[in-house]
């Protein structure tokens, strides 16, 4: 069992962050495999053929992506923890990838081969400048296949962070970490279980742990930068539901409280800020704020302040009024 151990200082400084590079890595993993998630089908159908054509034209790119998508050890030079918090820029994340020396790239790739569940060789690892060539592949994937969809994805990621930040403010880190993935859990007073597989514990530095949601993968991985920077990348909750569209409010509820307020009440099955709701519905902050004020005065929702934001969630009365989810 692999544990991530945190001092009280590291725990107090742990936080959430976004990573366009991790989102791009997850997108590569999805595009190279048969699509198993119905909610991804429209995006997958639009982009897969073009992505595969680029890989077929470049043995280095194809070998790299096939290895990354079939190993338990993701190469460290493409999985560094983000450094920009919630405003991480893709270009900043790409710089150390491009600057990675060939010796370090080869060592990472050989470790990935050793931990792969498929047979690989590194015959495609020819020439030199592998870090820069890897950065070029990530840049192409980001600009062509991820960036056009990034505003929607970013809204989903921010919503996941708002939800977990609300849990953190109300209940602490153990509750905020619940259901990040199948393996992770809080253990004792000072540790996070990352994996059931045998391995050495990691000691998180005093700057704290990063938690990084991504949209397009169900996988989880640990990003590490020596000596003690770590980020846990995990699948954002609710991505599939948001991508497939929200359920229509029941007509009786619409007639009772109005279409707009009924839609907001349904949507607050997953906590959100007023800004996130306005973005989701394509409405002004004033309109959404008016709905929230009425619902809050009626005791159907409650707000929790998290820093400068207020995260809204349904109360028990709101849950009862909406009723059970359709199956």
């Amino acid at each position: 069992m692999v544990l991530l151990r945190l001092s009280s200082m590291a725990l107090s400084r742990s936080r959430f962050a976004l990573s366009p590079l991790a989102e791009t890595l997850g997108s590569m993993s999805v595009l190279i495999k048969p699509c198993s998630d119905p909610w991804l089908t429209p995006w997958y159908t639009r982009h897969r053929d073009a992505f595969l054509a680029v890989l077929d034209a470049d043995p280095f790119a194809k070998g790299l992506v096939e290895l990354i998508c079939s190993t338990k050890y993701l190469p460290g030079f493409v999985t560094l923890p983000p450094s920009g918090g919630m405003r991480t820029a893709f270009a900043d994340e790409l710089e150390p990838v491009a600057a990675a020396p060939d010796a370090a790239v080869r060592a990472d790739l050989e470790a990935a081969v050793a931990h792969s569940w498929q047979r690989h060789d590194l015959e495609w690892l020819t020439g030199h400048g592998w870090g820069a060539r890897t950065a070029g592949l990530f840049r192409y994937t980001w600009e062509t296949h991820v960036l056009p969809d990034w505003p929607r994805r970013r809204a989903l990621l921010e919503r996941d962070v708002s939800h977990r930040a609300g849990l953190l403010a109300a209940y602490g880190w153990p509750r905020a970490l619940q259901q990040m993935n199948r393996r992770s859990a809080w253990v004792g007073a000072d540790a996070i279980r990352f994996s059931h597989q045998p391995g050495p514990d990691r000691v998180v530095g005093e700057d704290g742990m990063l938690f990084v949601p991504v949209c397009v993968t169900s996988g989880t991985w640990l990003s590490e930068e020596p000596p003690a920077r770590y980020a846990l990348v995990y699948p954002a909750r609710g991505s599939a539901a948001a991508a497939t569209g929200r359920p229509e409010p029941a007509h009786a509820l619409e007639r009772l409280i109005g279409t707009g307020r009924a839609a907001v009440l349904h949507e607050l099955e997953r906590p959100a800020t007023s800004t996130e709701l306005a973005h989701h519905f394509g409405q002004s902050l004033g309109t959404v704020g008016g709905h929230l004020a009425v619902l809050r005065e009626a005791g159907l929702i409650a707000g929790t302040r998290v820093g400068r934001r207020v995260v809204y969630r349904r109360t028990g009365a709101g849950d009862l009024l909406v009723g059970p989810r359709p199956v």
Side-chain angles (χ1 to χ4, degrees), residues 4 6 10 13-15 204 207-211 222 230-232:
L4 300 165
L6 298 88
R13 293 180 174 176
S14 294
R15 58 207 181 277
V204 178
D207 193 40
M209 185 85 186
L210 295 177
F211 299 95
L222 186 67
Y230 294 94
L232 178 62

Side-chain angles (χ1 to χ4, degrees), residues 192-251:
I192 301 168
R193 184 184 68 221
F194 170 69
S195 171
H196 292 294
Q197 299 297 322
D201 291 354
R202 272 79 159 181
V203 178
V204 178
E206 295 297 282
D207 193 40
M209 185 85 186
L210 295 177
F211 299 95
V212 182
V214 290
C215 282
V216 294
T217 179
S218 59
T220 303
W221 65 86
L222 186 67
S223 298
E224 178 179 0
E225 183 177 14
R229 287 192 72 232
Y230 294 94
L232 178 62
V233 180
Y234 66 93
R237 68 189 297 275
S239 296
T244 53
R246 61 187 182 275
E248 291 298 323
H251 292 302

Side-chain angles (χ1 to χ4, degrees), residues 5 31 50 57 75 87 113 131 147 152-153 171 223 235 274 323:
R5 297 198 174 275
L31 287 172
R87 298 182 180 275
V113 168
L147 183 58
R152 181 184 68 89
R153 294 192 191 190
Y171 306 107
S223 298
S274 58

